[in-house]
Amino acid sequence: MTTENIFKQINVSIVKLVSIPAVNAPLVLAARLLASAIFISAGFSKLGAGYAGAQGYMASVGLSGELLPLVIALEMGGGLALLLGFQARLAAFALSVFCIVSGVLFHSGADPMQQIMFMKNLAMAGGLLAFTLFGAGRLSLDGETKA
């Protein structure tokens, strides 16, 4: 048996496993939980004592701090919508655009840590685009039957 055949068999087995509704639905829910957590916590961290610091960080790249309430609303609202599976395709698409734009604005420097943060934003955008394409799954307020 060749290595190619082994990987093909593994992939076929994974496809069979995740096509079982009792496996698929909790996996999509777990994916939504993991993907949404960073946005909900980031939005929450900007409230109260974190508000002024976030405004200052925005100002450091030439953005108006008056945009911060929109950022918080998108992070918390979009994150919660994704978590609950409410208008998940729309929320995921909006958050993916946010990830790309904020990555370019805040993490495009030559510093290695900023490059890692930029790539993290792109990776999150990629995962969010998968939700945009495939939806929130059965265990969601959207209640999609295919995920």
Side-chain angles (χ1 to χ4, degrees):
M1 182 177 294
T2 67
T3 305
E4 182 180 330
N5 287 338
I6 292 171
F7 286 117
K8 186 174 184 177
Q9 285 182 345
I10 292 170
N11 282 314
V12 167
S13 297
I14 291 171
V15 168
K16 287 180 183 177
L17 179 65
V18 299
S19 67
I20 300 169
V23 174
N24 178 280
L27 279 178
V28 177
L29 176 60
R32 290 195 335 258
L33 171 66
L34 293 171
S36 66
I38 193 167
F39 297 103
I40 296 167
S41 64
F44 189 75
S45 74
K46 292 174 179 72
L47 299 174
Y51 196 88
Q55 276 187 319
Y57 190 49
M58 290 175 71
S60 75
V61 297
L63 291 176
S64 172
E66 293 176 4
L67 294 173
L68 186 55
L70 296 174
V71 170
I72 294 169
L74 177 60
E75 288 177 331
M76 293 184 76
L80 288 169
L82 182 61
L83 174 62
L84 298 173
F86 175 73
Q87 296 296 316
R89 291 174 190 261
L90 174 61
F93 183 73
L95 289 169
S96 70
V97 171
F98 175 76
C99 284
I100 294 167
V101 170
S102 62
V104 169
L105 290 174
F106 294 101
H107 305 301
S108 59
D111 174 55
M113 182 53 72
Q114 291 304 318
Q115 291 176 357
I116 290 169
M117 297 294 283
F118 178 72
M119 295 306 293
K120 176 231 8 143
N121 275 42
L122 293 182
M124 291 188 322
L128 291 162
L129 288 173
F131 284 113
T132 302
L133 290 170
F134 302 113
R138 290 185 313 125
L139 297 178
S140 68
L141 293 177
D142 291 344
E144 296 181 0
T145 57
K146 294 181 182 176

